[in-house]
mmCIF file of all heavy atoms in Angstrom:
data_model
loop_
_atom_site.group_PDB
_atom_site.id
_atom_site.type_symbol
_atom_site.label_atom_id
_atom_site.label_comp_id
_atom_site.label_asym_id
_atom_site.label_seq_id
_atom_site.Cartn_x
_atom_site.Cartn_y
_atom_site.Cartn_z
ATOM 1 N N GLU T 1 2.916 1.246 2.939
ATOM 2 C CA GLU T 1 2.404 1.712 1.585
ATOM 3 C C GLU T 1 1.046 2.366 1.702
ATOM 4 O O GLU T 1 0.120 2.038 2.450
ATOM 5 C CB GLU T 1 2.208 0.400 0.692
ATOM 6 C CG GLU T 1 1.681 0.663 -0.721
ATOM 7 C CD GLU T 1 2.702 1.427 -1.619
ATOM 8 O OE1 GLU T 1 3.829 1.440 -1.352
ATOM 9 O OE2 GLU T 1 2.183 2.019 -2.626
ATOM 10 N N PHE T 2 0.851 3.565 1.028
ATOM 11 C CA PHE T 2 -0.424 4.347 0.905
ATOM 12 C C PHE T 2 -1.039 4.062 -0.424
ATOM 13 O O PHE T 2 -0.457 4.007 -1.516
ATOM 14 C CB PHE T 2 -0.136 5.741 1.145
ATOM 15 C CG PHE T 2 0.584 6.166 2.356
ATOM 16 C CD1 PHE T 2 1.506 7.179 2.371
ATOM 17 C CD2 PHE T 2 0.316 5.474 3.602
ATOM 18 C CE1 PHE T 2 2.090 7.587 3.535
ATOM 19 C CE2 PHE T 2 0.981 5.802 4.725
ATOM 20 C CZ PHE T 2 1.739 6.900 4.770
ATOM 21 N N LYS T 3 -2.396 3.920 -0.423
ATOM 22 C CA LYS T 3 -3.193 3.903 -1.490
ATOM 23 C C LYS T 3 -4.324 4.887 -1.261
ATOM 24 O O LYS T 3 -5.020 4.820 -0.178
ATOM 25 C CB LYS T 3 -3.679 2.536 -1.743
ATOM 26 C CG LYS T 3 -2.631 1.452 -2.130
ATOM 27 C CD LYS T 3 -1.997 1.885 -3.386
ATOM 28 C CE LYS T 3 -0.806 0.859 -3.686
ATOM 29 N NZ LYS T 3 0.116 1.456 -4.503
ATOM 30 N N LYS T 4 -4.829 5.689 -2.249
ATOM 31 C CA LYS T 4 -5.792 6.691 -2.131
ATOM 32 C C LYS T 4 -7.058 6.052 -1.863
ATOM 33 O O LYS T 4 -7.859 6.411 -1.067
ATOM 34 C CB LYS T 4 -5.797 7.532 -3.359
ATOM 35 C CG LYS T 4 -6.740 8.731 -3.390
ATOM 36 C CD LYS T 4 -6.639 9.560 -4.576
ATOM 37 C CE LYS T 4 -7.616 10.698 -4.495
ATOM 38 N NZ LYS T 4 -7.552 11.591 -5.671
ATOM 39 N N SER T 5 -7.341 4.852 -2.570
ATOM 40 C CA SER T 5 -8.707 4.141 -2.260
ATOM 41 C C SER T 5 -8.539 2.769 -2.673
ATOM 42 O O SER T 5 -7.500 2.279 -3.247
ATOM 43 C CB SER T 5 -9.780 4.775 -3.155
ATOM 44 O OG SER T 5 -9.631 4.487 -4.436
ATOM 45 N N THR T 6 -9.552 1.905 -2.453
ATOM 46 C CA THR T 6 -9.511 0.445 -2.745
ATOM 47 C C THR T 6 -9.585 0.234 -4.298
ATOM 48 O O THR T 6 -9.445 -0.798 -4.893
ATOM 49 C CB THR T 6 -10.629 -0.256 -2.112
ATOM 50 O OG1 THR T 6 -11.839 0.448 -2.369
ATOM 51 C CG2 THR T 6 -10.373 -0.324 -0.592
ATOM 52 N N SER T 7 -9.700 1.306 -5.171
ATOM 53 C CA SER T 7 -9.608 1.185 -6.576
ATOM 54 C C SER T 7 -8.173 0.988 -6.909
ATOM 55 O O SER T 7 -7.856 0.452 -8.058
ATOM 56 C CB SER T 7 -9.969 2.623 -7.269
ATOM 57 O OG SER T 7 -9.134 3.602 -6.898
ATOM 58 N N GLU T 8 -7.177 1.022 -5.975
ATOM 59 C CA GLU T 8 -5.894 0.596 -6.238
ATOM 60 C C GLU T 8 -5.601 -0.776 -5.562
ATOM 61 O O GLU T 8 -4.340 -1.013 -5.134
ATOM 62 C CB GLU T 8 -4.963 1.696 -5.705
ATOM 63 C CG GLU T 8 -5.080 2.978 -6.402
ATOM 64 C CD GLU T 8 -4.120 4.101 -5.854
ATOM 65 O OE1 GLU T 8 -4.336 4.553 -4.711
ATOM 66 O OE2 GLU T 8 -3.118 4.360 -6.605
ATOM 67 N N LEU T 9 -6.556 -1.483 -5.294
ATOM 68 C CA LEU T 9 -6.395 -2.825 -4.562
ATOM 69 C C LEU T 9 -5.335 -3.712 -5.187
ATOM 70 O O LEU T 9 -4.501 -4.270 -4.573
ATOM 71 C CB LEU T 9 -7.662 -3.426 -4.313
ATOM 72 C CG LEU T 9 -7.722 -4.818 -3.478
ATOM 73 C CD1 LEU T 9 -7.036 -4.586 -2.136
ATOM 74 C CD2 LEU T 9 -9.198 -5.389 -3.370
ATOM 75 N N LYS T 10 -5.256 -3.859 -6.521
ATOM 76 C CA LYS T 10 -4.347 -4.657 -7.214
ATOM 77 C C LYS T 10 -2.930 -4.311 -6.898
ATOM 78 O O LYS T 10 -2.121 -5.131 -6.565
ATOM 79 C CB LYS T 10 -4.501 -4.758 -8.662
ATOM 80 C CG LYS T 10 -3.671 -5.725 -9.470
ATOM 81 C CD LYS T 10 -4.057 -5.911 -10.953
ATOM 82 C CE LYS T 10 -3.075 -6.948 -11.608
ATOM 83 N NZ LYS T 10 -3.354 -7.191 -12.898
ATOM 84 N N LYS T 11 -2.792 -2.886 -7.013
ATOM 85 C CA LYS T 11 -1.279 -2.490 -6.751
ATOM 86 C C LYS T 11 -1.040 -2.694 -5.244
ATOM 87 O O LYS T 11 0.071 -2.992 -4.825
ATOM 88 C CB LYS T 11 -1.311 -0.984 -7.007
ATOM 89 C CG LYS T 11 -1.389 -0.729 -8.512
ATOM 90 C CD LYS T 11 -1.254 0.789 -8.757
ATOM 91 C CE LYS T 11 -1.343 1.175 -10.260
ATOM 92 N NZ LYS T 11 -1.391 2.688 -10.407
ATOM 93 N N ALA T 12 -2.030 -2.624 -4.380
ATOM 94 C CA ALA T 12 -1.757 -2.832 -3.010
ATOM 95 C C ALA T 12 -1.394 -4.339 -2.665
ATOM 96 O O ALA T 12 -0.480 -4.599 -1.883
ATOM 97 C CB ALA T 12 -3.053 -2.385 -2.169
ATOM 98 N N ILE T 13 -2.000 -5.295 -3.466
ATOM 99 C CA ILE T 13 -1.643 -6.588 -3.224
ATOM 100 C C ILE T 13 -0.284 -6.971 -3.712
ATOM 101 O O ILE T 13 0.428 -7.691 -3.026
ATOM 102 C CB ILE T 13 -2.668 -7.508 -4.028
ATOM 103 C CG1 ILE T 13 -4.003 -7.433 -3.107
ATOM 104 C CG2 ILE T 13 -2.249 -8.918 -4.193
ATOM 105 C CD1 ILE T 13 -5.247 -8.136 -3.798
ATOM 106 N N ILE T 14 0.201 -6.291 -4.821
ATOM 107 C CA ILE T 14 1.495 -6.403 -5.221
ATOM 108 C C ILE T 14 2.463 -5.794 -4.208
ATOM 109 O O ILE T 14 3.582 -6.530 -3.998
ATOM 110 C CB ILE T 14 1.736 -5.740 -6.635
ATOM 111 C CG1 ILE T 14 0.955 -6.497 -7.589
ATOM 112 C CG2 ILE T 14 3.230 -5.599 -6.978
ATOM 113 C CD1 ILE T 14 0.863 -5.923 -9.089
ATOM 114 N N SER T 15 2.174 -4.762 -3.633
ATOM 115 C CA SER T 15 2.983 -4.150 -2.582
ATOM 116 C C SER T 15 3.052 -5.070 -1.368
ATOM 117 O O SER T 15 4.157 -5.204 -0.787
ATOM 118 C CB SER T 15 2.441 -2.769 -2.222
ATOM 119 O OG SER T 15 2.592 -1.770 -3.234
ATOM 120 N N ILE T 16 2.002 -5.598 -1.009
ATOM 121 C CA ILE T 16 2.010 -6.610 0.218
ATOM 122 C C ILE T 16 3.035 -7.739 -0.169
ATOM 123 O O ILE T 16 3.843 -8.047 0.698
ATOM 124 C CB ILE T 16 0.538 -7.049 0.386
ATOM 125 C CG1 ILE T 16 -0.288 -5.978 0.963
ATOM 126 C CG2 ILE T 16 0.600 -8.441 1.380
ATOM 127 C CD1 ILE T 16 -1.794 -6.349 1.107
ATOM 128 N N CYS T 17 3.005 -8.208 -1.264
ATOM 129 C CA CYS T 17 3.778 -9.339 -1.803
ATOM 130 C C CYS T 17 5.225 -8.880 -1.636
ATOM 131 O O CYS T 17 6.059 -9.583 -1.135
ATOM 132 C CB CYS T 17 3.418 -9.854 -3.207
ATOM 133 S SG CYS T 17 4.566 -10.987 -3.923
ATOM 134 N N SER T 18 5.553 -7.816 -2.253
ATOM 135 C CA SER T 18 6.943 -7.269 -2.308
ATOM 136 C C SER T 18 7.447 -7.090 -0.835
ATOM 137 O O SER T 18 8.643 -7.301 -0.602
ATOM 138 C CB SER T 18 7.046 -6.075 -3.182
ATOM 139 O OG SER T 18 6.499 -5.010 -2.691
ATOM 140 N N ILE T 19 6.650 -6.471 0.068
ATOM 141 C CA ILE T 19 7.034 -6.169 1.300
ATOM 142 C C ILE T 19 7.296 -7.481 2.137
ATOM 143 O O ILE T 19 8.266 -7.592 2.823
ATOM 144 C CB ILE T 19 6.028 -5.315 2.045
ATOM 145 C CG1 ILE T 19 5.975 -3.850 1.446
ATOM 146 C CG2 ILE T 19 6.402 -5.173 3.523
ATOM 147 C CD1 ILE T 19 4.776 -3.030 1.843
ATOM 148 N N LEU T 20 6.308 -8.365 1.899
ATOM 149 C CA LEU T 20 6.518 -9.748 2.504
ATOM 150 C C LEU T 20 7.916 -10.384 2.164
ATOM 151 O O LEU T 20 8.561 -10.990 2.982
ATOM 152 C CB LEU T 20 5.463 -10.755 2.239
ATOM 153 C CG LEU T 20 4.020 -10.481 3.095
ATOM 154 C CD1 LEU T 20 2.949 -11.247 2.322
ATOM 155 C CD2 LEU T 20 4.232 -10.749 4.426
ATOM 156 N N ASN T 21 8.258 -10.267 0.877
ATOM 157 C CA ASN T 21 9.483 -10.996 0.376
ATOM 158 C C ASN T 21 10.633 -10.329 0.938
ATOM 159 O O ASN T 21 11.695 -10.995 0.999
ATOM 160 C CB ASN T 21 9.489 -10.943 -1.188
ATOM 161 C CG ASN T 21 8.491 -12.058 -1.714
ATOM 162 O OD1 ASN T 21 8.251 -12.999 -0.982
ATOM 163 N ND2 ASN T 21 8.120 -11.883 -2.804
ATOM 164 N N LYS T 22 10.649 -9.126 1.343
ATOM 165 C CA LYS T 22 11.859 -8.364 1.807
ATOM 166 C C LYS T 22 11.886 -8.304 3.371
ATOM 167 O O LYS T 22 12.914 -8.570 3.862
ATOM 168 C CB LYS T 22 12.002 -6.975 1.168
ATOM 169 C CG LYS T 22 13.228 -6.283 1.664
ATOM 170 C CD LYS T 22 13.649 -5.334 0.746
ATOM 171 C CE LYS T 22 15.026 -4.758 0.960
ATOM 172 N NZ LYS T 22 15.474 -3.545 0.166
ATOM 173 N N HIS T 23 10.705 -7.925 4.042
ATOM 174 C CA HIS T 23 10.647 -7.659 5.263
ATOM 175 C C HIS T 23 9.862 -8.604 6.293
ATOM 176 O O HIS T 23 10.013 -8.522 7.530
ATOM 177 C CB HIS T 23 10.083 -6.158 5.587
ATOM 178 C CG HIS T 23 11.043 -5.164 4.931
ATOM 179 N ND1 HIS T 23 12.231 -4.844 5.476
ATOM 180 C CD2 HIS T 23 10.917 -4.474 3.692
ATOM 181 C CE1 HIS T 23 12.828 -3.866 4.750
ATOM 182 N NE2 HIS T 23 11.996 -3.638 3.555
ATOM 183 N N GLY T 24 8.969 -9.349 5.602
ATOM 184 C CA GLY T 24 8.106 -10.338 6.311
ATOM 185 C C GLY T 24 6.953 -9.743 6.933
ATOM 186 O O GLY T 24 6.082 -10.415 7.468
ATOM 187 N N LYS T 25 6.789 -8.399 7.078
ATOM 188 C CA LYS T 25 5.633 -7.778 7.542
ATOM 189 C C LYS T 25 5.522 -6.349 7.188
ATOM 190 O O LYS T 25 6.530 -5.725 6.754
ATOM 191 C CB LYS T 25 5.602 -7.771 9.141
ATOM 192 C CG LYS T 25 6.662 -7.113 9.807
ATOM 193 C CD LYS T 25 6.676 -7.190 11.215
ATOM 194 C CE LYS T 25 7.728 -6.329 11.997
ATOM 195 N NZ LYS T 25 7.616 -6.356 13.401
ATOM 196 N N GLY T 26 4.317 -5.749 7.188
ATOM 197 C CA GLY T 26 4.076 -4.444 6.863
ATOM 198 C C GLY T 26 2.717 -3.979 7.043
ATOM 199 O O GLY T 26 1.784 -4.659 7.551
ATOM 200 N N THR T 27 2.377 -2.823 6.387
ATOM 201 C CA THR T 27 1.000 -2.051 6.520
ATOM 202 C C THR T 27 0.679 -1.366 5.240
ATOM 203 O O THR T 27 1.558 -0.660 4.769
ATOM 204 C CB THR T 27 1.048 -1.049 7.727
ATOM 205 O OG1 THR T 27 1.583 -1.842 8.923
ATOM 206 C CG2 THR T 27 -0.305 -0.648 8.023
ATOM 207 N N VAL T 28 -0.504 -1.540 4.816
ATOM 208 C CA VAL T 28 -1.119 -0.797 3.769
ATOM 209 C C VAL T 28 -2.228 0.176 4.274
ATOM 210 O O VAL T 28 -3.040 -0.401 5.040
ATOM 211 C CB VAL T 28 -1.580 -1.723 2.584
ATOM 212 C CG1 VAL T 28 -2.334 -0.875 1.473
ATOM 213 C CG2 VAL T 28 -0.434 -2.445 1.990
ATOM 214 N N TYR T 29 -2.243 1.322 3.909
ATOM 215 C CA TYR T 29 -3.327 2.219 4.323
ATOM 216 C C TYR T 29 -4.053 2.632 3.112
ATOM 217 O O TYR T 29 -3.508 2.965 2.207
ATOM 218 C CB TYR T 29 -2.659 3.571 4.869
ATOM 219 C CG TYR T 29 -1.931 3.486 6.185
ATOM 220 C CD1 TYR T 29 -0.768 3.017 6.360
ATOM 221 C CD2 TYR T 29 -2.666 3.905 7.478
ATOM 222 C CE1 TYR T 29 -0.112 2.836 7.616
ATOM 223 C CE2 TYR T 29 -1.954 3.730 8.585
ATOM 224 C CZ TYR T 29 -0.706 3.321 8.766
ATOM 225 O OH TYR T 29 -0.200 3.177 9.893
ATOM 226 N N PHE T 30 -5.383 2.379 3.092
ATOM 227 C CA PHE T 30 -6.313 2.955 2.089
ATOM 228 C C PHE T 30 -6.944 4.131 2.601
ATOM 229 O O PHE T 30 -7.492 4.144 3.734
ATOM 230 C CB PHE T 30 -7.350 1.895 1.743
ATOM 231 C CG PHE T 30 -6.884 0.646 1.046
ATOM 232 C CD1 PHE T 30 -6.583 -0.534 1.720
ATOM 233 C CD2 PHE T 30 -6.561 0.709 -0.264
ATOM 234 C CE1 PHE T 30 -6.131 -1.612 1.147
ATOM 235 C CE2 PHE T 30 -6.152 -0.524 -0.937
ATOM 236 C CZ PHE T 30 -5.921 -1.577 -0.276
ATOM 237 N N GLY T 31 -6.806 5.204 1.823
ATOM 238 C CA GLY T 31 -7.450 6.521 2.126
ATOM 239 C C GLY T 31 -6.399 7.537 2.426
ATOM 240 O O GLY T 31 -6.580 8.591 3.013
ATOM 241 N N VAL T 32 -5.087 7.170 2.033
ATOM 242 C CA VAL T 32 -3.940 8.061 2.219
ATOM 243 C C VAL T 32 -3.283 8.260 0.943
ATOM 244 O O VAL T 32 -3.012 7.176 0.283
ATOM 245 C CB VAL T 32 -2.945 7.514 3.322
ATOM 246 C CG1 VAL T 32 -1.886 8.470 3.445
ATOM 247 C CG2 VAL T 32 -3.783 7.359 4.623
ATOM 248 N N GLU T 33 -2.963 9.393 0.418
ATOM 249 C CA GLU T 33 -2.248 9.672 -0.889
ATOM 250 C C GLU T 33 -0.824 9.389 -0.621
ATOM 251 O O GLU T 33 -0.297 9.331 0.443
ATOM 252 C CB GLU T 33 -2.466 11.201 -1.285
ATOM 253 C CG GLU T 33 -3.881 11.310 -1.735
ATOM 254 C CD GLU T 33 -4.159 12.640 -2.307
ATOM 255 O OE1 GLU T 33 -3.204 13.548 -2.201
ATOM 256 O OE2 GLU T 33 -5.245 12.956 -2.920
ATOM 257 N N ASP T 34 -0.065 9.099 -1.745
ATOM 258 C CA ASP T 34 1.363 8.839 -1.820
ATOM 259 C C ASP T 34 2.227 9.758 -0.907
ATOM 260 O O ASP T 34 3.182 9.504 -0.141
ATOM 261 C CB ASP T 34 1.959 8.810 -3.136
ATOM 262 C CG ASP T 34 1.460 7.583 -3.784
ATOM 263 O OD1 ASP T 34 1.060 6.594 -3.228
ATOM 264 O OD2 ASP T 34 1.656 7.512 -5.135
ATOM 265 N N ASP T 35 1.720 11.061 -0.935
ATOM 266 C CA ASP T 35 2.447 12.050 -0.133
ATOM 267 C C ASP T 35 2.128 12.148 1.345
ATOM 268 O O ASP T 35 2.548 12.880 2.093
ATOM 269 C CB ASP T 35 2.349 13.516 -0.764
ATOM 270 C CG ASP T 35 0.950 13.986 -0.864
ATOM 271 O OD1 ASP T 35 0.004 13.318 -0.314
ATOM 272 O OD2 ASP T 35 0.651 14.984 -1.410
ATOM 273 N N GLY T 36 1.266 11.151 1.810
ATOM 274 C CA GLY T 36 0.926 11.103 3.197
ATOM 275 C C GLY T 36 -0.274 11.967 3.561
ATOM 276 O O GLY T 36 -0.622 11.888 4.748
ATOM 277 N N ILE T 37 -0.959 12.605 2.715
ATOM 278 C CA ILE T 37 -2.224 13.363 3.029
ATOM 279 C C ILE T 37 -3.274 12.529 3.037
ATOM 280 O O ILE T 37 -3.610 11.631 2.289
ATOM 281 C CB ILE T 37 -2.482 14.458 1.981
ATOM 282 C CG1 ILE T 37 -1.251 15.565 2.033
ATOM 283 C CG2 ILE T 37 -3.727 15.151 2.242
ATOM 284 C CD1 ILE T 37 -1.344 16.596 0.856
ATOM 285 N N VAL T 38 -4.030 12.499 4.284
ATOM 286 C CA VAL T 38 -5.167 11.731 4.543
ATOM 287 C C VAL T 38 -6.354 12.287 3.718
ATOM 288 O O VAL T 38 -6.711 13.275 4.024
ATOM 289 C CB VAL T 38 -5.523 11.532 6.050
ATOM 290 C CG1 VAL T 38 -6.699 10.670 6.309
ATOM 291 C CG2 VAL T 38 -4.234 11.027 6.794
#
């Protein structure tokens, strides 16, 4: 999951939860836009 900044921390936490429930592990990047641009 990509988040442009930590201003999206709440959304990132929800993503962490949803990824854990389906896959058991994952990665969130802060400083990367949804389209993958750093």
Side-chain angles (χ1 to χ4, degrees):
E1 178 69 18
F2 299 148
K3 295 297 177 201
K4 186 175 182 178
S5 74
T6 51
S7 67
E8 298 180 288
L9 183 55
K10 183 174 182 176
K11 289 179 183 178
I13 288 172
I14 290 170
S15 292
I16 290 169
C17 170
S18 70
I19 291 168
L20 284 169
N21 284 334
K22 185 156 186 188
H23 298 285
K25 65 180 181 175
T27 308
V28 171
Y29 291 78
F30 290 100
V32 181
E33 292 185 347
D34 285 345
D35 59 6
I37 295 172
V38 178

